[in-house]
Amino acid sequence: MPRTTSPTATATTNITDATDTTAPTATAAARVSVDSLPWEELVTSALLGTDRRPPTPRGGPVPADAPTVLLDAAALHTVRQRAGLLPAVPAARPEPAAPDPRPALPEAARRRLAHLLADRAAPSGSGRRGAAPDLTELIPQWLATANRKGFRAPAALLPPLLDAARARTDLRPQALAFAGPRGLWLAGLNPDWKFALRGTASGTLHPDITDPEAVSRLWEEGLFAERVALLDAVRAQDPPAALALLATTWPAERAEDRLMFLDSLRSGLGGDDEPFLERALSDRSRNVRATAAELLSALPESALAGRMAARATSCVNPDRTGATASIAVEAPHECDAAMQRDGVAAVPPTGRGERSWWLSQLVEAAPLGIWEERFGGRPAEEIVALPVADGWADELHAAWCRAAVRQRNPQWARALLGRPSAPPGTASIAERSKLLAILEQAERASWVAEFIAAHGLSEAFQLLGVCTVPWAGPLGRAVVDALDIARDGGSYPWSFSGVMGLAERCLDPAEADRLEVLTAAQDEQEGASPGAGGYWSEAFQRLVSTLRLRAAMEAELMS
């Protein structure tokens, strides 16, 4: 008959065997030796198998029925552990979470979120996804839409939502905003979710700033994320009051906190911030000084911008020695203490010359408007087109690119970008992406669409990342047309997987029906990669099904 005794009975039998000295056997001795093994050794034996790791101390007797002995020992350990547990010390119940006044999700949207979060935890397959949508990549878009609609997270889904945000840092801002005060309350009870308490303030609701006493108390006693949220909220309503609040504790703040608080001043930066930022130029933290200098240089009328303009124009001037207009450059020969106080780093990165490093920082921090005056009223397009002497063109244009980004200057951004159909200039793809982000959404999409039509998709991936989602009609059509051309040309299909994945998330869902024709499998072309036709068909099927799923998600959040 098979053995059917319970673990408790087995453990009792083992104890009896161990204490019965009248009839010792090898098996009983083995059981006694196994009972003395620590729990970790038993687990190792179970994982590796009793044949490879018998449940016995080194040099001890090996039992004949090792699997049974291992199970009996595990049962005995369990009884011992339960018998040795101490009663838990009672603790005060946590305070209830703050109320969340936002409306509840529609039921269909709640089910969709549960499905998306469950799919995130499912084991991933191998590389190729087939024709089914990748639900994991739709979570950020779902969260953004739900936050835009102003819904609150279902209480039952807060744990998997926080788990998802823990695993993916790119989800955290949207996930914490959606989780709201209940999510922060729950994160305070689980160390695994402590990132929500020390991270940015995007997961907190704006505090009430109408009560000065409550504001002062929260600023002095609140968590870091709460204090950042408070500073942002006060600054949105009353910028001078936010500066006054920050000044009350500024000398006592840690350097990393001063840096984060200073970064909050980017929103709504104006001339009233200049005195505070000027004082920060003497901060004991190098990073704080550099950030203060960067913010001041974004204010064209600031004293620092004026000082930088004087230094930059002493280095870059019209060259009047030749028959045609050009630009002469004489890089600075030293980086004095005044330059360093204004944010110029004296030591260049590895492989960079000192003089070119100092020059680039001066030009980057100088107001762009001075160059039009310096070059006789020429517009930015003409200044950028002027030849630069002695091989300084790349250095100068790169510094102008950073200045345009810092000062949010669309005229200089257009000049440095150039025509999208023209051969790429000195600006890198990364620099052009930052310049594009300055332009209005429609102009940005139109520029990238023309760039793709002229140059294809090989260099456009990073440019597409700065375009507003969903992509405007001309941009979406340019991407799909380029993919279709690549397929018809027999291009290696896997090299376009990144753009295809981006299209799944960014194309307008209304394009699904128009793309249906591309899902049909094509005959293999001569010279094409083996299996390319099937891959392209599968990829377009996934694109169409993902667009339709996004349309359904949007409709569920509208109901």
Side-chain angles (χ1 to χ4, degrees):
M1 293 290 291
R3 186 184 181 103
T4 58
T5 53
S6 67
T8 304
T10 301
T12 304
T13 301
N14 288 348
I15 295 173
T16 302
D17 290 345
T19 56
D20 185 2
T21 60
T22 62
T25 65
T27 300
R31 292 182 190 277
V32 173
S33 64
V34 171
D35 292 344
S36 64
L37 286 176
W39 177 255
E40 292 77 10
E41 288 289 336
L42 297 179
V43 172
T44 301
S45 182
L47 291 174
L48 296 179
T50 54
D51 291 338
R52 296 176 59 190
R53 181 67 68 85
T56 180
R58 289 186 179 181
V62 178
D65 55 343
T68 301
V69 171
L70 173 64
L71 294 175
D72 287 347
L76 181 59
H77 270 273
T78 302
V79 172
R80 287 172 175 168
Q81 184 181 30
R82 289 175 178 172
L85 286 178
L86 296 176
V89 178
R93 292 184 176 181
E95 292 293 326
D100 191 340
R102 296 175 295 177
L105 278 173
E107 180 57 25
R110 188 201 65 77
R111 291 195 301 269
R112 178 73 67 189
L113 176 61
H115 187 197
L116 293 175
L117 293 174
D119 186 80
R120 183 202 69 82
S124 58
S126 58
R128 199 168 173 179
R129 292 178 289 156
D134 186 347
L135 301 185
T136 301
E137 293 304 316
L138 295 178
I139 296 177
Q141 195 166 97
W142 190 97
L143 288 172
T145 305
N147 285 330
R148 192 167 60 249
K149 302 292 183 183
F151 291 116
R152 72 168 182 266
L157 294 180
L158 285 173
L161 179 65
L162 290 171
D163 281 340
R166 179 192 179 198
R168 287 180 57 179
T169 56
D170 63 308
L171 288 180
R172 290 182 184 179
Q174 294 286 0
L176 294 180
F178 184 55
R182 290 180 177 177
L184 291 179
W185 174 85
L186 192 61
L189 303 176
N190 187 341
D192 287 344
W193 301 326
K194 60 185 178 182
F195 68 87
L197 305 178
R198 66 168 183 257
T200 62
S202 48
T204 63
L205 296 179
H206 279 179
D208 181 12
I209 62 172
T210 59
D211 183 353
E213 184 176 338
V215 167
S216 177
R217 183 169 58 253
L218 181 59
W219 179 251
E220 293 177 0
E221 302 175 3
L223 298 169
F224 178 71
E226 295 172 331
R227 299 179 71 210
V228 173
L230 176 64
L231 185 64
D232 289 342
V234 175
R235 185 164 176 81
Q237 297 294 325
D238 189 352
L243 277 181
L245 184 67
L246 182 57
T248 59
T249 59
W250 180 260
E253 302 286 358
R254 299 184 305 169
E256 55 267 34
D257 291 349
R258 293 200 306 278
L259 185 63
M260 290 294 294
F261 289 138
L262 201 61
D263 206 53
S264 297
L265 301 184
R266 295 182 188 277
S267 177
L269 183 68
D272 292 340
D273 301 317
E274 183 178 357
F276 182 88
L277 293 173
E278 273 285 343
R279 291 193 296 273
L281 290 176
S282 301
D283 194 271
R284 57 186 180 275
S285 166
R286 180 175 60 83
N287 290 333
V288 172
R289 295 195 302 270
T291 301
E294 178 189 346
L295 293 174
L296 283 168
S297 67
L299 297 172
E301 303 301 323
S302 68
L304 180 137
R307 296 192 295 270
M308 288 299 198
R311 293 170 180 137
T313 52
S314 69
C315 298
V316 180
N317 289 284
D319 187 354
R320 298 183 175 87
T321 60
T324 59
S326 62
I327 301 176
V329 176
E330 178 67 25
H333 291 272
E334 64 173 344
C335 182
D336 57 31
M339 289 170 61
Q340 293 182 50
R341 183 183 181 275
D342 284 347
V344 178
V347 180
T350 303
R352 184 80 178 272
E354 283 185 337
R355 296 182 65 198
S356 65
W357 172 242
W358 299 332
L359 173 71
S360 67
Q361 294 178 81
L362 297 181
V363 174
E364 179 181 353
L368 287 165
I370 65 170
W371 303 114
E372 297 174 14
E373 177 183 349
R374 194 70 170 174
F375 286 88
R378 284 186 172 90
E381 291 81 0
E382 292 185 18
I383 296 174
V384 170
L386 291 174
V388 183
D390 301 326
W392 285 101
D394 290 354
E395 192 75 58
L396 184 60
H397 286 189
W400 277 337
C401 284
R402 294 191 295 273
V405 171
R406 181 182 295 189
Q407 299 170 36
R408 312 295 299 174
N409 190 306
Q411 291 79 18
W412 276 83
R414 293 188 192 98
L416 292 161
L417 278 168
R419 292 182 294 108
S421 59
T426 58
S428 67
I429 289 291
E431 288 170 336
R432 279 180 284 184
S433 298
K434 295 176 182 179
L435 292 171
L436 279 169
I438 302 172
L439 305 181
E440 293 293 331
Q441 298 176 9
E443 184 180 2
R444 195 185 314 167
S446 176
W447 196 96
V448 177
E450 290 186 41
F451 181 91
I452 292 172
H455 306 289
L457 289 168
S458 59
E459 294 189 9
F461 185 82
Q462 198 167 350
L463 303 179
L464 288 168
V466 301
C467 293
T468 306
V469 177
W471 290 336
L475 176 57
R477 287 191 291 273
V479 171
V480 173
D481 289 345
L483 288 170
D484 194 19
I485 291 171
R487 179 185 65 167
D488 292 343
S491 297
Y492 192 68
W494 294 275
S495 62
F496 292 92
S497 59
V499 176
M500 188 67 78
L502 197 60
E504 292 172 18
R505 300 188 295 273
C506 302
L507 271 177
D508 190 335
E511 298 285 331
D513 291 340
R514 190 177 70 86
L515 298 176
E516 184 72 42
V517 67
L518 300 177
T519 61
Q522 290 185 329
D523 296 334
E524 294 288 345
Q525 301 180 29
E526 184 178 355
S529 303
Y535 178 92
W536 279 112
S537 174
E538 185 180 87
F540 280 117
Q541 289 175 34
R542 184 169 62 246
L543 175 59
V544 170
S545 59
T546 301
L547 293 179
R548 287 178 175 154
L549 178 57
R550 286 175 49 208
M553 287 166 43
E554 184 80 21
E556 291 163 358
L557 286 165
M558 291 290 290
S559 59

